Amino acid sequence: MLHKLKPKTEYSRNILTLMSGTILAQAIPIAISPILTRLYSPSDFGTFALYFTLAVLMGSLVAGRYELSILIPKQNENARQIVLFSIAISFFISILLFIFICISIDWLVELLNNPDIKIWLYILPLNVFMLSVINILYYWFNRHKEYKVLAKTKVLQSSNRSFFSLLLGFVHKSYGLIVGILFGSFSNFIYSIKKANDDDVFHKPNMHKMKLLMKKYSDFPKFNILTTLLENVSGNIPIYLLTIFFGPIVVGFFSLSQQVIRVPLSLIGVSFGDVFRQKASKDLQHTGNCRHIFLVTFKKLFIIAIIPFVLFYFIAPSLFLFVFGPKWEMAGIYAQIMTPLFFLQFISSPLSNMFLIAQKQKLDLLIQIVSFITMSLGMITGYYISKDVPTILYIFTLIYSIKYLMQLTLSYRFTKVSNAH
């Protein structure tokens, strides 16, 4: 079975390169997690989870989702111009975000039901801009198959984040987890800018060409902004609703359960997705069919995931109790409940890039709207009926599992031009 995963082709070697960086990047925070759970309280983890969720959400939106189009143009010059105007849009929107936060700070703190996050909201726009630029340049490096650069950015960000979280935890600073995120983002931002500058990305912006490209790819902001917003909010709705219903301690349990199982495996899936997106885009352009690479990727993801997820389901509560300490056993129960969701997400998310490749943004938007409404109503109803966290998480798992199965089925259909258009 394992010999099928050996990197015999360029496609497999590219996946292995990104996976290596991802695994190393995740090994560091996972290795120190048993220390962090003894240095920080569940409430500290809850405040961190809320801040991080907001930063990632806004960081994925402020460029108007134009970065998703960087892989599409046949000419590198057109892709470079997309990079430039995407960064400009990010900067402008981040400034507006800062002004909005300054005006609305008290209202935001009350809405988020977490006074500890107030000071960090002022810094949020800077973090958002850095994450946006990192994301934009990530697509540029992916276009040029600079997978070693992508792997290094992951390791650099993760190591710096972990170092500062650990350091400030030992000196009893409750905000160390958030500071770790800031320093991790900053190190990745500087490195990515330097590498992009080496590629001459930032020279000679062409305003006329930028305007033409913004118009040509206008479907990305029209449909993908709302799609991304709904997907992110619905995917993180437990953090928002659990904060409102139960407070930061419960959110701390939930965030640790996600960090231990969802984050490392989903990032391995992202590595597959980055390479799959590049290869499938080329195949669909040149032959009108990328079904072979779809099935190859599906088989690799399934083989990697099936045994670890089955084992984890049965040992999760005991594993959390032993590794993270007695106060974190509830996080293990949460992780056990959500294991089927994580398994389907690991397989479906990389292959759902077919929605972008086949330019099915409208259908993707519809799916996100339906899942968001269903998720919100289901979890709110579950709360008022049971006032029970596990019940809410069972509803979350069921609805999201159905969504991933639907996306996987449709993505398979889009692998042929006759079905994609």
Side-chain angles (χ1 to χ4, degrees):
M1 181 181 293
L2 292 178
H3 76 277
K4 296 181 180 179
L5 298 177
K6 291 182 179 180
K8 297 178 181 179
T9 65
E10 180 188 14
Y11 179 73
S12 295
R13 287 193 297 270
N14 290 338
I15 290 177
L16 183 62
T17 298
L18 272 183
M19 279 184 58
S20 299
T22 299
I23 291 172
L24 180 57
Q26 288 305 309
I28 299 170
I30 289 176
I32 67 170
S33 289
I35 302 174
L36 293 179
T37 54
R38 289 164 172 84
L39 296 176
Y40 297 98
S41 69
S43 181
D44 294 333
F45 271 85
T47 300
F48 157 76
L50 181 59
Y51 174 86
F52 182 66
T53 299
L54 292 172
V56 172
L57 169 62
M58 297 177 190
S60 66
L61 295 176
V62 293
R65 302 306 281 160
Y66 273 113
E67 70 274 15
L68 297 175
S69 65
I70 291 172
L71 288 169
I72 297 176
K74 293 183 179 180
Q75 297 181 354
N76 283 329
E77 176 59 19
N78 287 342
R80 189 179 71 83
Q81 296 298 327
I82 295 174
V83 170
L84 293 178
F85 73 68
S86 296
I87 292 176
I89 293 172
S90 297
F91 180 77
F92 178 71
I93 300 299
S94 297
I95 294 295
L96 293 180
L97 176 62
F98 178 73
I99 295 172
F100 171 76
I101 288 174
C102 289
I103 295 173
S104 311
I105 186 66
D106 292 331
W107 175 78
L108 288 171
V109 171
E110 183 178 356
L111 176 67
L112 297 173
N113 193 28
N114 192 330
D116 293 335
I117 205 171
K118 181 174 183 178
I119 185 63
W120 303 109
L121 290 178
Y122 290 110
I123 303 174
L124 183 64
L126 174 62
N127 208 163
V128 166
F129 176 67
M130 290 191 295
L131 290 174
S132 179
V133 173
I134 289 167
N135 194 36
I136 292 166
L137 296 179
Y138 194 93
Y139 282 94
W140 171 263
F141 296 137
N142 188 19
R143 175 185 176 90
H144 292 275
K145 300 182 181 181
E146 297 186 53
Y147 297 112
K148 290 183 180 179
V149 172
L150 296 181
K152 189 171 182 178
T153 62
K154 293 175 184 287
V155 175
L156 189 65
Q157 181 164 333
S158 174
S159 58
N160 278 280
R161 168 187 168 181
S162 299
F163 173 77
F164 283 99
S165 297
L166 202 59
L167 177 65
L168 293 174
F170 277 119
V171 296
H172 306 292
K173 301 296 183 182
S174 61
Y175 51 76
L177 294 170
I178 296 178
V179 173
I181 286 292
L182 287 168
F183 275 97
S185 300
F186 180 73
S187 61
N188 190 342
F189 174 80
I190 295 299
Y191 177 77
S192 297
I193 290 288
K194 181 181 180 301
K195 297 302 293 185
N197 190 55
D198 292 342
D199 293 342
D200 291 326
V201 171
F202 304 115
H203 79 287
K204 294 181 180 179
N206 187 321
M207 296 302 297
H208 176 68
K209 185 170 287 188
M210 285 183 185
K211 291 179 182 178
L212 293 177
L213 290 167
M214 288 179 70
K215 184 176 181 180
K216 180 177 181 179
Y217 295 109
S218 59
D219 275 357
F220 285 89
K222 284 179 182 177
F223 300 108
N224 285 101
I225 287 180
L226 185 55
T227 298
T228 301
L229 177 64
L230 291 174
E231 184 173 22
N232 189 290
V233 172
S234 60
N236 290 293
I237 204 167
I239 289 179
Y240 303 127
L241 292 182
L242 293 176
T243 297
I244 295 171
F245 294 151
F246 301 104
I249 293 177
V250 168
V251 177
F253 292 140
F254 178 81
S255 68
L256 183 67
S257 69
Q258 289 211 319
Q259 177 182 335
V260 170
I261 181 171
R262 180 181 184 179
V263 174
L265 290 174
S266 67
L267 283 177
I268 293 173
V270 167
S271 299
F272 271 88
D274 291 335
V275 181
F276 170 76
R277 184 167 53 243
Q278 193 274 338
K279 174 65 173 171
S281 296
K282 297 294 183 184
D283 287 354
L284 204 63
Q285 283 179 8
H286 296 140
T287 68
N289 189 327
C290 61
R291 183 158 294 181
H292 172 72
I293 201 64
F294 181 96
L295 293 174
V296 167
T297 305
F298 174 85
K299 291 176 183 177
K300 289 178 183 291
L301 289 167
F302 185 87
I303 292 171
I304 290 172
I306 184 64
I307 295 177
F309 274 104
V310 170
L311 290 176
F312 183 84
Y313 178 81
F314 289 104
I315 68 172
S318 300
L319 180 65
F320 274 69
L321 178 65
F322 174 75
V323 175
F324 302 111
K327 63 182 179 181
W328 293 97
E329 184 178 11
M330 184 59 66
I333 295 174
Y334 293 176
Q336 184 182 49
I337 292 172
M338 295 184 290
T339 299
L341 179 158
F342 296 144
F343 173 74
L344 290 172
Q345 181 194 45
F346 178 77
I347 295 176
S348 173
S349 292
L351 298 172
S352 294
N353 279 291
M354 284 306 309
F355 280 85
L356 293 174
I357 296 169
Q359 299 187 42
K360 292 290 184 178
Q361 291 97 331
K362 293 180 182 179
L363 178 59
D364 194 24
L365 175 59
L366 178 61
I367 292 173
Q368 299 306 330
I369 291 173
V370 172
S371 64
F372 173 73
I373 294 173
T374 306
M375 186 74 64
S376 300
L377 292 177
M379 295 185 70
I380 292 172
T381 301
Y383 170 74
Y384 283 108
I385 290 176
S386 68
K387 301 289 194 299
D388 180 58
V389 177
T391 298
I392 293 175
L393 294 182
Y394 276 119
I395 295 172
F396 172 72
T397 298
L398 175 63
I399 296 174
Y400 240 69
S401 296
I402 294 172
K403 175 198 168 187
Y404 284 131
L405 287 171
M406 183 184 304
Q407 287 181 319
L408 191 61
T409 302
L410 290 172
S411 294
Y412 176 77
R413 292 188 59 192
F414 298 154
T415 55
K416 287 188 176 182
V417 169
S418 57
N419 294 325
H421 297 287

